[in-house]
Amino acid sequence: MTEHSDRVANASTNASVDPDTVEWPVSLAGVTESIVTTLGPNDRWNAAPLGLFAGDGDENDDPVTAKTWGNTRTRRNFHRQGEGYVQFTVDPVAFADAALSISEFDEPILESANAWVRVAVEQVDSGTEGETEWEEWTLRPLEANVVAETVPTIDRGFGAVIEATVAASRLGVPAYDQDALRERLEYYASVVDRAGSEREREALERVRDHAEW
Amino acid sequence: MTEHSDRVANASTNASVDPDTVEWPVSLAGVTESIVTTLGPNDRWNAAPLGLFAGDGDENDDPVTAKTWGNTRTRRNFHRQGEGYVQFTVDPVAFADAALSISEFDEPILESANAWVRVAVEQVDSGTEGETEWEEWTLRPLEANVVAETVPTIDRGFGAVIEATVAASRLGVPAYDQDALRERLEYYASVVDRAGSEREREALERVRDHAEW
């Protein structure tokens, strides 16, 4: 029952478009998880999770921001290219792959994207947390497209997959209590076991494989 | 950027509608959390969570099912009325209220519903788990309406609120390890603290209040 509207909010081919008028295709509040694709030196698009921090609504004074953690492909490609494609997908396998493995594509837009936004990125801050260097970036939409809107649903299995990717990505990082992470992973696995869809089960298997958990 | 289509999938006023052709307004797989409103003897609509178990796609042979746990208003009203309104909402406060308090309304449709389905319910099984009597029901859609479709997003704060309501509802139930529940609740609170929207913070406060946690 999805609706494929293929509605281009602001076409990049329209030279008269004022970038300030391009809007995010979702309403952002708190932190929203996305997948960003960035063009690498191998001419392929790398997909990785990116947490979007909502601004206060006035995008010029207080734009959406995101942090890169460590010397990742996303960080290097942001520096090299100054832009990327932020995608909104609810495919648990796409998310698990992007989070825990090198996930690269020939095209910037993921097949499972419900919407995407090409953003200009600018580094505005940096620091260190634990042993990890982070950089903070502003993200300004240049072009946005809604591919498919749906009735959003609450799926505990899906949430459990997302949390499992977070916990798995912290395995081996000394700042985190490893026993607590493993207990949480077992609990998320039990939620997927009880409430998950086939696709969520597949995603959890990817988490187990990638994280050797 | 939501799209209010107010599309009535099958109007109940159309007497020629074959109930077998009314479809769920979302694609169900695994367990999907919903809120069901049922008419009580006080002539008010009681809102409570209901986990929908997807059938195999053939709704006649293998319909959507749900379980009621204990002698709840939902169970009693299902027996009395034989129907209810299943709603799909992603408002964390509506979900927390429905899950943890007596939440009653004059009208069956929640303000925050992105879609709703009037369903005929039939009890098909029952049993006991721990000290709780459950009943299993089939749910057959009689009438469905999509109110607003959106680009679905991944919000860890939202997921944490949902998991917190689940954990909070198990506090005091001997079958569950109470220390593990409290540890999980603290973790979910930390996720909402870091990643939550204003609405998710408000919902978590409701969980704290209702559960005296």
Side-chain angles (χ1 to χ4, degrees):
Chain A
M1 299 286 285
T2 64
E3 197 164 274
H4 287 257
S5 51
D6 253 306
R7 178 155 56 87
V8 177
N10 280 278
S12 62
T13 47
N14 182 347
S16 71
V17 162
D18 176 356
D20 288 351
T21 65
V22 178
E23 285 179 13
W24 289 86
V26 300
S27 68
L28 299 172
V31 184
T32 303
E33 299 303 320
S34 74
I35 295 179
V36 68
T37 53
T38 51
L39 188 60
N42 61 355
D43 247 6
R44 303 201 76 205
W45 292 89
N46 180 264
L50 193 69
L52 309 174
F53 288 71
D56 65 2
D58 182 342
E59 289 184 9
N60 293 311
D61 292 346
D62 190 10
V64 170
T65 59
K67 276 181 181 164
T68 51
W69 294 87
N71 180 23
T72 59
R73 281 168 175 74
T74 300
R75 182 176 95 173
R76 298 197 299 271
N77 295 342
F78 271 179
H79 278 295
R80 267 193 290 258
Q81 302 287 342
E83 62 174 66
Y85 285 78
V86 170
Q87 339 246 332
F88 298 96
T89 171
V90 286
D91 177 11
V93 173
F95 193 87
D97 282 348
L100 298 169
S101 67
I102 307 304
S103 183
E104 290 184 327
F105 301 93
D106 292 332
E107 302 291 335
I109 311 296
L110 301 175
E111 268 180 48
S112 63
N114 285 85
W116 55 263
V117 195
R118 185 163 66 89
V119 293
V121 300
E122 192 183 340
Q123 192 206 325
V124 291
D125 201 1
S126 65
T128 305
E129 193 169 309
E131 293 168 0
T132 306
E133 288 177 20
W134 54 262
E135 293 186 1
E136 188 180 23
W137 304 78
T138 56
L139 282 68
R140 293 180 193 274
L142 299 172
E143 186 187 359
N145 190 18
V146 172
V147 179
E149 294 184 312
T150 66
V151 172
T153 52
I154 305 176
D155 295 286
R156 291 184 60 212
F158 180 78
V161 169
I162 302 302
E163 288 303 315
T165 65
V166 172
S169 70
R170 292 173 177 171
L171 285 174
V173 179
Y176 295 98
D177 178 334
Q178 301 294 304
D179 287 343
L181 290 178
R182 281 173 196 286
E183 241 174 68
R184 235 173 270 151
L185 281 165
E186 283 313 320
Y187 177 70
Y188 298 137
S190 77
V191 173
V192 171
D193 193 46
R194 220 170 39 247
S197 66
E198 276 310 305
R199 194 75 179 154
E200 286 153 7
R201 286 168 209 280
E202 187 183 337
L204 195 79
E205 281 313 304
R206 305 278 186 115
V207 178
R208 279 193 195 276
D209 290 348
H210 294 317
E212 296 181 358
W213 145 64
Chain B
M1 298 284 288
T2 65
E3 196 165 273
H4 288 257
S5 52
D6 253 305
R7 178 155 56 86
V8 176
N10 281 279
S12 62
T13 47
N14 183 347
S16 70
V17 162
D18 176 356
D20 287 350
T21 67
V22 179
E23 286 180 11
W24 289 86
V26 301
S27 67
L28 299 172
V31 185
T32 303
E33 300 301 322
S34 73
I35 294 179
V36 68
T37 53
T38 52
L39 188 61
N42 62 355
D43 248 6
R44 303 200 75 205
W45 293 89
N46 180 263
L50 193 69
L52 309 174
F53 288 70
D56 66 2
D58 182 340
E59 289 184 11
N60 293 310
D61 291 347
D62 191 9
V64 171
T65 58
K67 277 182 180 163
T68 50
W69 295 87
N71 181 22
T72 58
R73 281 169 174 73
T74 300
R75 181 175 96 171
R76 299 197 298 271
N77 295 341
F78 271 180
H79 278 296
R80 265 193 292 258
Q81 303 287 343
E83 62 175 67
Y85 285 79
V86 170
Q87 339 246 333
F88 299 96
T89 172
V90 286
D91 177 11
V93 173
F95 193 87
D97 282 349
L100 299 168
S101 68
I102 306 303
S103 183
E104 290 185 327
F105 301 93
D106 292 332
E107 302 292 335
I109 312 296
L110 300 175
E111 268 180 48
S112 64
N114 285 84
W116 56 262
V117 194
R118 185 164 66 90
V119 293
V121 300
E122 192 183 340
Q123 192 206 324
V124 291
D125 201 1
S126 65
T128 305
E129 194 170 311
E131 293 169 0
T132 307
E133 288 177 19
W134 55 263
E135 293 186 1
E136 188 179 23
W137 305 78
T138 55
L139 283 68
R140 293 181 193 274
L142 299 173
E143 186 187 359
N145 191 18
V146 172
V147 179
E149 293 184 311
T150 65
V151 172
T153 53
I154 305 176
D155 294 286
R156 291 184 60 212
F158 180 77
V161 169
I162 302 302
E163 288 303 316
T165 64
V166 173
S169 70
R170 293 173 177 171
L171 285 175
V173 180
Y176 296 98
D177 178 335
Q178 301 295 302
D179 287 343
L181 290 178
R182 282 174 196 286
E183 243 174 66
R184 235 172 271 150
L185 282 165
E186 284 312 322
Y187 177 69
Y188 298 137
S190 78
V191 173
V192 172
D193 193 47
R194 220 171 39 247
S197 65
E198 276 310 305
R199 194 75 179 154
E200 287 154 7
R201 287 168 207 280
E202 187 181 338
L204 194 79
E205 280 313 303
R206 304 280 185 113
V207 178
R208 280 194 195 276
D209 290 348
H210 293 317
E212 296 180 357
W213 146 62

